[in-house]
């Protein structure tokens, strides 16, 4: 079983401190909205779905002891708590989405007594949590059909359970296949510069008892040529209407290598990541990040002073390299422009 | 101009301390055989040709003050010095080759007075040095013909001047093209796990005033797709008779990406690296190195305890991906089995 990023027992909330991974596995209890704000701020909890879930529970913690006796007073407290949490990571879309969803729930039950309204807020957070769980599990069940007993799989970066409620996206088919009793072996690209594959994916799979081999990104071609990889499964940050896929830098290279070796290349794409307003991947802006991530990555300088560096955070894999999109509603195959429209319709 | 790895003025020998690069550029004078032994041992000087040159000069330093009055006594001193140097890096083929060459030179001039014999030893070391210089320069001149003004080039690992007398192999065409006044721009793969591209290639090209951009290995596909790369030039540790190329891990993946993007893939292969006794690359043994290079590479642990790791030091690029071999005797194009035989004939 994958690890619970956010565990809830009764109304007690516990997070895995992702800043300590992979060398220390620390579970931190979160008792107050301030503790949740800090956990989101310093990336103890990270990954878009996980941040949304954390924020929703944080909002509950922020109002559970509110002394308000009227709805107007209570609403003020809700807004204060929500604005405070929103300030923890101002660019995280899921954070705002989750806070707004809880606010909408509160507005929709303005007639309830305050104590019951507080319960509704907790329930809404738990619903957001469970829905994410359901989506990842459904996606994983769809993707597990692609995996045969004995398969070698390769993934890049971390689209794992740590970023979501539990199963993740790209890793969900692996967790489910493992639960189904299939023997699988996963090659995890370390994923320079930030090593999410080494720090998070290798850790998650190890914890779940799934055999994993860590490789440097530049070794993927060799393990493919050796016949050790039967399928590639990666995540996506954003997928365009034509099936072009934006994901962590290096994904495109893996797709080219998979094609050359006749290996299917699957993208775990929850419906929420598919943006039909983008006709193709050229419209997806690519963030360039600080040179120091490459030149001073892990505690010491490994490149000359002042060297010119190119550090794009993402790349776009053209749809021609994508064998299929794994969604929670089923597989989507080419032609993606037609079949994504059908799936959404 | 590239940097002199080993500089000789009169009989004063100076090395760049490669263990300090890229953060410190330190030139160390070498006065004694003991200092040279230590420099080879701890990798202050590294790279097969550079080690051979250093050892030959080291042998001279070891016997220049020999009090021997007879050839037999002098020969004993030569052997003692040679055996001592041979113990510095017992697996470095070029080290033994250079020491044997100096010994053969001594044996061939047994009739000379000892002081003149000492001069012959220095001259033989200088000849080994100059020959390497000539080979690299000739190879670079051949390779520079492939480079057009304005070209973007991509290289992997460090087949640069630091490993040789000056020009290197894969970098030699770049140095020569730059000397010819061509504007070029080089993308240097950082080359995990040991980062020779970041530490050495980026430094060398910067020092020579050649525009260089450092990228992570997994970004090569993106810069190729952006049209920024007109040719790939890499080195080789060993090339088989059919043109299969063993080189630093990651080279094969770069070759696949180059093919997919219609970019020529050249291998700088001095004749000494071509092993006609190997019919194909499957006969080249691939060293597997310690997991810690990947899990603890940068001064701190970046992967979970006990994770399974695959860390091959080299890969083999099948000849079908090689556009041409750049040798000091001219280009060799496919069919390599036929044309390498011709070139050697």
């Amino acid at each position: 079983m994958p690890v619970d990023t956010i565990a809830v027992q009764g109304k007690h909330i516990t997070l895995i401190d992702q800043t300590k991974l992979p060398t220390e596995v620390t579970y931190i209890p979160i008792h107050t909205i301030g503790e949740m704000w800090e956990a989101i701020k310093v990336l103890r909890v990270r990954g878009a779905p996980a941040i949304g879930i954390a924020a929703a529970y944080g909002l509950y913690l922020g109002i559970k002891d509110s002394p308000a006796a009227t709805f107007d007073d209570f609403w003020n407290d809700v807004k204060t708590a929500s604005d405070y949490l929103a300030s923890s990571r101002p660019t995280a879309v899921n954070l705002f989405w989750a806070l707004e969803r809880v606010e909408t729930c509160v507005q929709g039950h303005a007639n309830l007594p305050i104590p019951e309204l507080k319960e509704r807020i907790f329930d809404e957070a738990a619903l957001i949590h469970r829905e994410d769980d359901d989506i990842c599990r459904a996606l994983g069940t769809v993707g597990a059909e692609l995996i045969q007993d004995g398969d070698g799989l390769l993934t890049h970066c971390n689209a794992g359970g740590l970023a979501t409620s539990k199963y993740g996206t790209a890793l969900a088919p692996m967790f489910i296949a493992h639960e189904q009793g299939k023997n699988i072996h996963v090659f995890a690209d370390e994923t320079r510069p930030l090593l999410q594959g080494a720090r998070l994916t290798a850790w998650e799979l190890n914890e779940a008892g799934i055999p994993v081999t860590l490789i440097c990104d530049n070794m993927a071609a060799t393990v493919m040529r050796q016949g050790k990889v039967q399928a590639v499964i990666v995540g996506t940050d954003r997928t365009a209407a034509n099936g072009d896929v934006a994901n962590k830098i290096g994904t495109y290279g893996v797709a080219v290598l998979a094609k050359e070796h006749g290996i299917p290349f699957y993208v775990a794409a929850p419906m929420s990541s598919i943006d039909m307003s983008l006709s193709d991947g050229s419209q997806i802006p690519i963030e360039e990040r600080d040179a120091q991530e490459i030149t001073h990555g892990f505690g010491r300088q490994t490149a000359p002073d002042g060297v010119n560096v190119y550090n794009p955070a993402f790349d776009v894999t053209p749809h021609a390299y994508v064998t299929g999109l794994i969604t929670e509603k089923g597989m989507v195959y080419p032609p993606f422009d037609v079949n994504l429209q059908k799936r959404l319709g």
Side-chain angles (χ1 to χ4, degrees), chain A:
Chain A
M1 283 285 289
V3 167
D4 281 316
T5 308
I6 303 169
V8 182
Q9 288 186 295
K11 289 195 175 71
H12 294 283
I13 297 154
T14 310
L15 301 180
I16 292 181
D17 186 348
Q18 296 191 45
T19 63
K20 298 268 177 38
L21 293 177
T23 47
E24 285 177 50
V25 181
T26 312
Y27 296 89
I28 45 172
I30 301 288
H31 304 100
T32 67
I33 185 174
E35 288 170 1
M36 190 64 95
W37 184 92
E38 193 264 0
I40 298 171
K41 176 78 178 175
V42 306
L43 315 185
R44 296 191 203 288
V45 59
R46 52 152 281 289
I51 288 173
I53 298 163
Y57 283 124
L59 187 44
Y60 169 74
L61 295 175
I63 56 78
K64 75 182 170 65
D65 299 323
S66 160
T70 68
F71 179 79
D72 283 352
D73 285 351
F74 185 67
W75 177 247
N76 272 338
D77 289 351
V78 168
K79 283 300 286 177
T80 302
S82 179
D83 290 350
Y84 173 56
L85 286 163
S87 71
S88 62
R89 281 193 77 186
T91 57
V93 173
N94 273 57
L95 178 66
F96 297 104
W97 169 84
L99 293 171
E100 276 172 30
R101 191 164 142 178
V102 176
E103 288 176 18
T104 303
C105 167
V106 173
Q107 288 286 354
H109 297 86
N111 55 331
L112 286 181
I114 304 296
E116 276 185 51
L117 207 39
K118 290 178 179 175
E119 291 303 303
R120 287 278 178 167
I121 289 176
F122 180 84
D123 292 347
E124 189 70 13
L127 185 62
I128 290 171
H129 193 173
R130 194 164 65 247
E131 283 174 4
D132 184 66
D133 209 272
D134 288 346
I135 288 169
C136 292
R137 207 173 200 297
L139 187 155
T141 305
V142 168
E145 293 297 307
L146 305 164
I147 300 173
Q148 308 301 314
D149 187 53
D151 274 359
L153 305 166
L154 186 141
T155 191
H156 188 76
C157 197
N158 177 257
L162 287 167
T164 65
S165 62
K166 179 167 18 178
Y167 285 86
T169 56
L171 298 195
M174 304 177 190
F175 289 126
I176 304 284
H178 180 68
E179 286 178 13
Q180 291 170 344
K182 293 174 187 166
N183 291 305
I184 60 170
H185 189 108
V186 182
F187 292 91
D189 279 359
E190 66 172 5
T191 317
R192 280 283 284 154
L194 296 181
L195 300 177
Q196 292 93 336
R199 294 187 294 108
L200 306 177
T201 300
W203 180 83
E204 273 190 49
L205 294 172
N206 246 357
E207 287 295 305
I210 298 176
V212 56
T213 297
L214 176 63
I215 58 173
C216 295
D217 302 317
N218 66 26
M219 296 164 187
T222 287
V223 295
M224 287 185 186
R225 189 165 179 90
Q226 291 169 342
K228 293 175 180 166
V229 179
Q230 278 63 56
V232 173
I233 308 178
V234 298
T236 174
D237 287 83
R238 218 160 156 192
T239 295
N242 71 341
D244 289 355
V245 169
N247 192 42
K248 185 61 58 196
I249 186 69
T251 303
Y252 167 55
V254 173
V256 170
L257 294 174
K259 179 188 163 202
E260 183 73 7
H261 295 89
I263 297 167
F265 180 87
Y266 298 111
V267 178
M271 300 308 287
S272 62
S273 71
I274 297 166
D275 188 343
M276 296 300 282
S277 74
L278 301 172
S279 60
D280 66 65
S282 67
Q283 296 164 44
I284 301 173
I286 302 298
E287 174 192 4
E288 273 192 54
R289 293 178 60 86
D290 198 273
Q292 294 231 339
E293 288 182 355
I294 297 179
T295 59
H296 294 67
F298 298 90
R300 70 180 176 88
Q301 182 176 347
T302 53
D305 285 328
V307 68
N308 188 30
V309 168
Y310 177 52
N311 185 16
F314 304 99
D315 60 27
V316 174
T317 299
H319 60 87
Y321 294 92
V322 179
T323 308
L325 301 173
I326 309 169
T327 83
E328 70 272 29
K329 295 188 179 177
M331 290 299 299
V332 181
Y333 289 106
F336 294 111
D337 48 357
V338 175
N339 290 337
L340 275 174
Q341 203 70 56
K342 275 190 203 159
R343 181 67 65 185
L344 286 162

